[in-house]
Amino acid sequence: MNAMDAVPTGSLVARFRQAIEVWCSRNGVSAGALGAASLRDRDFVPSLRGGRNPRLRTVDRVLAVMGEPPAGPPFLWEVEAFLAVTGIKLSMLGFGATGNPSFVAQLRKGLSPTLTTVRDVRTWMASHASAEEWREIRARTGAMPRFLTGAKLPPPEPPARSRSNGSEDELPPPCSEDSPYVDTREAAERLGLSPRTLDTYRCTGAGPWYYRLGGCVRYRETDLEAWDAGRRRPRRREAAPQASP
C-alpha cells in the first residue's frame, strides 16, 4: 500500500457526515439531537448536506459526543511528523498544499482549518512522501477518527436498542454499568485526585481528554489509563553502598 492509499479520496465533509449518520443510526439518536448536544445547533447535519465546510474545532466537538478521537491535534501532529520525516520546509508544504506559505506557522498558533483544507494538505503530503516515510509519519501521529483514514466507513444500521418512550430526540444515557464513560467524581478516584483538580485541569488543558455528553462531563476509561500512564516516572536508582576501607 502506498501513501496515497492511506488518505481518503473525495470529500472529507461527506465522510464526516456519513460517520455521523452511522453513529446516530447505531445509537438510535437523531441527527438533530446530536447537533444540539454538541453544538446547540439542531440543523448542523442538514447544513453539511447543504455544503457547509466545518472547521476542525467544530468537528472535534461533535466527535467528542460520539466518543471518537479528536481530529485537530492528530492533524497537527501528522503535519509535524511529515516535516520531520521528509525534511521538506514548512513554507513549501504550506504554499504547495494551500497557496499560503505561512499555513504551518498559523496552524502551530492555533489555526483551525476547514475539512477541505485538511484534505488538500493531507493529499499533498501523501503525494510527497514514500510509502516507508508515510508509515513512519503515521506511527508518530497516533489515533485518528476513522473518517480521516483510508478505512471504508460502514453503512448506517438500525438502532441497536429501542427506546421505552419512542423518542429520537434524546441522547442515550451517558453512563451505565457497561458504559466506557465515568463521571468526574469516579475519574478523580481512579486517578487519586480530587474532583476540583480535574475541574481545574479541564480549564487549563493539563488533564486527560474529556467529553460533554448531553451537557454532562464524562471521561473514557481508556483516556484515563493513557493519561495516568503518562504520569509515571522511573524510580531513582539508589547509590550502591561504598565499601569500607
Side-chain angles (χ1 to χ4, degrees), residues 14-87:
R15 285 180 62 85
F16 177 51
R17 188 186 71 240
Q18 183 180 351
I20 290 175
E21 292 170 346
V22 169
W23 185 88
C24 288
S25 175
R26 291 184 170 185
N27 290 276
V29 178
S30 70
L34 177 61
S38 55
L39 303 168
R40 297 182 179 179
D41 180 3
R42 298 185 64 85
D43 295 324
F44 175 70
V45 176
S47 73
L48 295 178
R49 299 190 187 104
R52 181 172 179 175
N53 184 20
R55 294 187 178 276
L56 284 186
R57 66 168 60 95
T58 299
V59 170
D60 283 350
R61 291 173 63 183
V62 178
L63 292 174
V65 175
M66 293 167 58
E68 284 277 328
F75 173 63
L76 174 59
W77 300 335
E78 187 177 60
V79 169
E80 297 287 8
F82 171 84
L83 295 172
V85 170
T86 64

Side-chain angles (χ1 to χ4, degrees), residues 6 13 45 59 66 74 82 102 111 130 168 177 187 235:
V13 176
V45 176
V59 170
M66 293 167 58
F82 171 84
S102 301
L111 172 71
S130 66
E168 294 184 352
E177 291 183 359
R235 292 186 304 172

Side-chain angles (χ1 to χ4, degrees), residues 120-137:
D120 293 344
V121 172
R122 299 188 75 224
T123 300
W124 191 93
M125 291 193 302
S127 67
H128 287 76
S130 66
E132 183 177 352
E133 288 174 331
W134 194 255
R135 283 193 293 269
E136 176 63 21
I137 291 166

Side-chain angles (χ1 to χ4, degrees), residues 78-207:
E78 187 177 60
V79 169
E80 297 287 8
F82 171 84
L83 295 172
V85 170
T86 64
I88 291 178
K89 294 182 178 180
L90 56 90
S91 59
M92 181 180 176
L93 165 59
F95 183 77
T98 71
N100 176 13
S102 301
F103 172 78
V104 176
Q106 294 171 356
L107 190 66
R108 289 171 173 172
K109 292 180 180 179
L111 172 71
S112 180
T114 65
L115 283 181
T116 298
T117 300
V118 171
R119 180 203 61 191
D120 293 344
V121 172
R122 299 188 75 224
T123 300
W124 191 93
M125 291 193 302
S127 67
H128 287 76
S130 66
E132 183 177 352
E133 288 174 331
W134 194 255
R135 283 193 293 269
E136 176 63 21
I137 291 166
R138 293 300 303 124
R140 297 188 185 193
T141 301
M144 277 190 166
R146 189 171 183 178
F147 84 94
L148 276 185
T149 70
K152 183 178 179 180
L153 294 176
E157 297 178 356
R161 60 181 183 275
S162 61
R163 298 185 178 281
S164 58
N165 60 3
S167 171
E168 294 184 352
D169 287 336
E170 297 177 1
L171 285 172
C175 285
S176 62
E177 291 183 359
D178 59 350
S179 171
Y181 297 98
V182 297
D183 59 20
T184 301
R185 179 189 58 77
E186 187 172 351
E189 290 179 356
R190 296 189 182 197
L191 296 174
L193 303 172
S194 70
R196 181 171 295 182
T197 298
L198 280 183
D199 292 341
T200 301
Y201 282 172
R202 286 199 300 274
C203 296
T204 62

